[in-house]
Amino acid sequence: MSIKTRFTGARWAPRLVAITRTVDPLLADTLKVLGLVYVACVFSWGMAALHLPLEIHVPVIAALLLAGIFALVLRGLPAHRHARFGFANLVTSLRAGIVSLVGATVLFSHSFGAAHFDSLIWWTVAAVLFALALDGVDGYLARRYRQQSELGARFDMEVDALLILILSIGATVLGKAGLWVVLIGLMRYAFVMAQWFLPKLRGELAPSFRRKAVCVVQVAVLCLVLVPQVVPPVSTAMAAIALAALLYSFGVDGIALMRRPA
């Protein structure tokens, strides 16, 4: 073998092509999309850290959180019965990136909530509002390109649930309401745990405008609660109304599932 052949990679090219052809096209497309989103998020987080009072560990934790979310997406990929990952899941992946950084900021940044760092809170509110604006885009794209799937619906729902949990913790961190406000974020996970003891709750629910509207209300209200100018008792009352709406929504779904024949 000549030196030229050895170092030009001609020897390995056929093997590389063969390996590429054996990869599931959906998996390959998903890895490409998630990889690009991940790189874009990490780069933008680095730029944000240069202009915001964010500690260096915050983008690192956000990167780890997003990696965990994407790992779960790959695990659930068999539930996506389409040839491509799709534009809708791309948008949801971007939302997951926003939620990851918001979560790392709320939970691990010492600057969040500090009296002289209101700009960080305003940035967090802006990021949440942007994620909220994208919330309806992924569903529209899934319907527009006929790429609805069990994975896409679950991905969207879990990103929403994680965001609500993070915002409810943020409301407590900022002293906008008592510890009870975290119940808003824990409600979804309590419902999932209840399914282990009440198998009827595992039933499939029909699409509901009420359910989606209540979810949007939770994010919007908790986002407003974070605004520095919104303080108790106004913030406490807003959080209480949001919790009451969520309890009503889960109650309606729970009763409907429990009344179904076994």
Side-chain angles (χ1 to χ4, degrees), residues 109-166:
S109 175
H110 302 298
S111 301
F112 185 80
H116 54 292
F117 284 138
D118 280 358
S119 61
L120 185 58
I121 297 178
W122 280 111
W123 175 89
T124 302
V125 170
V128 172
L129 289 176
F130 183 57
L132 184 61
L134 291 177
D135 193 18
V137 176
D138 47 11
Y140 166 77
L141 291 175
R143 294 187 298 270
R144 172 67 175 79
Y145 293 97
R146 298 181 180 179
Q147 292 180 329
Q148 299 100 319
S149 70
E150 184 179 336
L151 171 67
R154 184 66 179 273
F155 189 16
D156 177 62
M157 179 174 57
E158 296 301 343
V159 170
D160 288 339
L162 180 59
L163 178 58
I164 292 173
L165 175 60
I166 291 168

Side-chain angles (χ1 to χ4, degrees), residues 17 21 39-40 52 62 79-80 97 100 108-109 113 118 130 146 176 196 217 223 232 256:
V17 171
R21 288 176 177 175
V39 171
L52 293 171
H80 185 68
S100 297
F108 298 99
S109 175
D118 280 358
F130 183 57
R146 298 181 180 179
K176 299 303 185 74
W196 288 92
V217 167
C223 185

Side-chain angles (χ1 to χ4, degrees), residues 102 106 112 121-122 124-129 132 159-188 213-231 234-246:
V102 170
V106 171
F112 185 80
I121 297 178
W122 280 111
T124 302
V125 170
V128 172
L129 289 176
L132 184 61
V159 170
D160 288 339
L162 180 59
L163 178 58
I164 292 173
L165 175 60
I166 291 168
L167 292 177
S168 63
I169 295 174
T172 302
V173 171
L174 296 177
K176 299 303 185 74
L179 190 59
W180 55 266
V181 75
V182 182
L183 291 174
I184 296 177
L186 293 177
M187 194 71 65
R188 155 69 184 163
V214 169
C215 177
V216 172
V217 167
Q218 304 304 306
V219 177
V221 170
L222 290 173
C223 185
L224 289 174
V225 165
L226 297 185
V227 173
Q229 285 72 23
V230 180
V231 296
V234 175
S235 59
T236 304
M238 293 172 63
I241 293 173
L243 177 58
L246 191 60

